[in-house]
Amino acid sequence: MAAAAAGPCPGPGPGPGPGAARTKKKQKRFVPQRVKLPRAADPLLAVLAWGVTHQINELSQVPLPVMLLPDDFKASSKIKVNNHLFNRENLPSHFKFKEYCPQVFRNLRERFGVDDQDYQVSLARSPPRWVGSGHRLLLSADRTLVLKELSSEDVADVHGLLAHYHQYVVQCHGQTLLPRFLGMYRVSVDSEDTYLLVMRNLFSHRLPVHRKYDLKGSLVDREASDKEKGKELPTLKDVDFLNKNEKVFVEEEQQREFMDKLKRDVEFLVQQKLMDYSLLLGIHEVERGEQEEEEELEEEELGGGGDEGGLGGPYGTSPEGLGGLLNSYRPLGPGEFDPGVDVYALRGAEGAPRREVYFMGLIDVLTQYDARKKAAHAAKTVKHGAGAEISTVHPEQYAKRFLDFITNIFA
């Protein structure tokens, strides 16, 4: 989910308008005994849904603090359940749930325009699903939220960054390309702890991505493997981007605003001695998306369509939750998006070779330049030579090289 050198931050975006009008109805849903939990084959996901619902209900009973105090950045809320009788067909009989820094993440959600009740619906009404391989990632059923599994060391890193991150989000009025951190939890089932960090999905919840790049600004070991390239939607890298002569076509004003924001964010990361982050770029091809939607509708008419795992098609969303904000507005056509929902989206420029929508934001921002990175840098210098474009360099060098590369991705 910023530094003075790049100029002042833009003003705050619009708040979650529809939330206020539905408050009375939604408060009823927050009595825990009345919440119908999803049938999740995975007990972890059932406990997550129960825990998030419980915590949002608890927070709704507590007035918003006038200001956050240092203790709020160390606080946590824990609950332990034994012999749980309610909804026992879905929940294990023994589990624990912990929310880290509840008031801090509540404040961040508010600053990012995320209504707590929509957040709870997006996370808990239908179970998220595991996506990708290797990286343990969950995607909410309405595709608006991503949950990343962390190690206990990662949790400590988030704690160490959180006060600085919150202050930065305040200064920039929530206008940032950094990951939008919305909650952090520990779920304990069968004596096994799972740590999860909840963020806004960088990609769209309704416009499918057709090409995807992870860009660091380094050319050493930065080409996707043959195995990766064989996937339906491979994550390509810097060398692939150059080899394909890929370019991002946006209007000059959009490019300038994007780069100003990126420079502020990168300066913040340098101040925190963070590095090894990437710009994740997703590209939606409008005509291809339109064709895919037409094919999907034809399949449904022939009886071949189905809602796999409650996720719907690329254009389907839950009637409530973060994606449900769209229901308040006119239907969106091909390639159109609501910037209040698809917060990382940029529209392609008029007159570009193809009609495209771009999704761009920073990911993997928790790597400190510590002894391990210094050792890796020394080893790579020996292997590739002192002038090689290796990824493990000092944060200032990393930032300069990264920004130089990203500046040149635009047409």
Side-chain angles (χ1 to χ4, degrees), residues 10 21 26 35 70 141 157 209 217 259 270 284 286 299 321 327 350 361 405:
K26 289 196 169 181
V35 176
D157 289 342
V209 164
M259 287 307 302
V270 169
H284 169 75
V286 177
E299 279 182 25
N327 295 347
E350 294 292 329
F405 188 93

Side-chain angles (χ1 to χ4, degrees), residues 144-398:
T144 60
L145 300 172
V146 168
L147 299 85
K148 182 173 184 177
E149 185 173 345
L150 304 180
S151 66
S152 55
E153 291 82 5
D154 292 332
V155 172
D157 289 342
V158 174
H159 263 126
L161 179 65
L162 196 55
H164 303 288
Y165 173 86
H166 178 268
Q167 183 183 19
Y168 177 66
V169 170
V170 171
Q171 289 171 351
C172 270
H173 308 289
Q175 303 299 303
T176 176
L177 300 169
L178 292 171
R180 299 192 173 197
F181 298 149
L182 304 177
M184 188 163 67
Y185 308 103
R186 185 189 71 196
V187 182
S188 305
V189 180
D190 295 330
S191 302
E192 187 173 324
D193 294 337
T194 302
Y195 303 92
L196 295 167
L197 178 63
V198 184
M199 300 170 277
R200 281 303 289 254
N201 186 6
L202 198 148
F203 292 157
S204 175
H205 72 301
R206 63 177 290 274
L207 299 177
V209 164
H210 298 114
R211 308 197 302 283
K212 180 171 61 163
Y213 292 91
D214 177 305
L215 303 174
K216 290 183 184 290
S218 171
L219 302 181
V220 171
D221 297 330
R222 293 296 298 162
E223 183 174 2
S225 66
D226 290 339
K227 180 182 177 184
E228 181 67 28
K229 289 176 181 176
K231 293 180 180 178
E232 186 179 352
L233 180 61
T235 302
L236 302 176
K237 298 182 180 179
D238 307 63
V239 172
D240 306 303
F241 189 91
L242 297 177
N243 287 345
K244 289 177 175 290
N245 295 313
E246 191 79 74
K247 286 292 180 183
V248 172
F249 296 87
V250 296
E251 302 290 352
E252 280 187 30
E253 179 67 15
Q254 279 190 308
Q255 179 183 339
R256 186 187 62 77
E257 289 177 5
F258 174 86
M259 287 307 302
D260 284 350
K261 207 183 288 187
L262 185 65
K263 287 172 184 173
R264 282 193 299 269
D265 291 345
V266 167
E267 180 58 34
F268 167 75
L269 296 175
V270 169
Q271 289 169 1
Q272 305 308 315
K273 295 183 170 55
L274 295 166
M275 53 175 298
D276 218 26
Y277 42 85
S278 302
L279 183 83
L280 186 62
L281 163 64
I283 302 171
H284 169 75
E285 301 168 19
V286 177
E287 289 178 8
R288 181 175 164 186
E290 196 172 3
Q291 185 180 344
E292 288 170 352
E293 186 193 13
E294 286 171 3
E295 289 170 1
E296 225 171 72
L297 290 172
E298 284 175 15
E299 279 182 25
E300 285 176 14
E301 285 169 9
L302 294 169
D307 191 356
E308 296 282 331
L311 285 167
Y315 292 82
T317 62
S318 164
E320 292 182 271
L322 298 174
L325 293 174
L326 288 171
N327 295 347
S328 309
Y329 309 105
R330 63 181 176 81
L332 296 175
E336 292 186 339
F337 58 87
D338 179 350
V341 181
D342 290 331
V343 294
Y344 294 94
L346 285 177
R347 195 178 312 283
E350 294 292 329
R354 293 178 300 273
R355 286 180 65 204
E356 294 176 333
V357 179
Y358 305 98
F359 303 94
M360 294 190 285
L362 291 161
I363 60 168
D364 299 335
V365 300
L366 295 177
T367 303
Q368 285 272 341
Y369 186 71
D370 57 13
R372 285 169 298 175
K373 274 288 170 187
K374 290 174 185 174
H377 174 65
K380 285 195 175 184
T381 301
V382 169
K383 181 178 177 183
H384 299 289
E389 291 289 313
I390 56 179
S391 62
T392 47
V393 295
H394 194 272
E396 279 89 352
Q397 291 172 278
Y398 188 92

Side-chain angles (χ1 to χ4, degrees), residues 97-174:
F97 186 86
K98 178 178 183 178
E99 180 178 14
Y100 295 95
C101 310
Q103 291 292 1
V104 176
F105 284 107
R106 178 192 199 182
N107 188 275
L108 285 170
R109 290 193 293 271
E110 183 182 28
R111 292 183 183 280
F112 286 134
V114 173
D115 180 81
D116 271 7
Q117 298 168 11
D118 289 325
Y119 173 79
Q120 183 267 331
V121 169
S122 290
L123 267 186
R125 170 161 291 184
S126 298
R129 63 184 177 103
W130 295 104
V131 293
S133 57
H135 293 292
R136 294 281 283 171
L137 286 177
L138 283 161
L139 182 65
S140 66
D142 66 359
R143 294 187 178 92
T144 60
L145 300 172
V146 168
L147 299 85
K148 182 173 184 177
E149 185 173 345
L150 304 180
S151 66
S152 55
E153 291 82 5
D154 292 332
V155 172
D157 289 342
V158 174
H159 263 126
L161 179 65
L162 196 55
H164 303 288
Y165 173 86
H166 178 268
Q167 183 183 19
Y168 177 66
V169 170
V170 171
Q171 289 171 351
C172 270
H173 308 289

Side-chain angles (χ1 to χ4, degrees), residues 28-100:
K28 291 182 182 177
R29 208 185 328 121
F30 280 106
V31 179
Q33 284 76 14
R34 296 186 188 177
V35 176
K36 181 168 173 53
L37 291 170
R39 287 187 175 273
D42 186 343
L44 168 72
L45 300 183
V47 173
L48 174 70
W50 185 92
V52 168
T53 301
H54 174 83
Q55 287 301 109
I56 294 292
N57 179 60
E58 291 291 300
L59 277 175
S60 71
Q61 314 300 323
V62 180
L64 279 167
V66 177
M67 62 181 292
L68 293 175
L69 301 173
D71 281 353
D72 290 320
F73 292 87
K74 303 170 190 170
S76 64
S77 175
K78 293 185 279 191
I79 183 164
K80 182 177 181 179
V81 175
N82 290 314
N83 301 316
H84 196 53
L85 297 177
F86 169 68
N87 214 354
R88 61 185 174 187
E89 69 275 17
N90 292 325
L91 288 164
S93 57
H94 306 275
F95 62 85
K96 292 188 288 186
F97 186 86
K98 178 178 183 178
E99 180 178 14
Y100 295 95

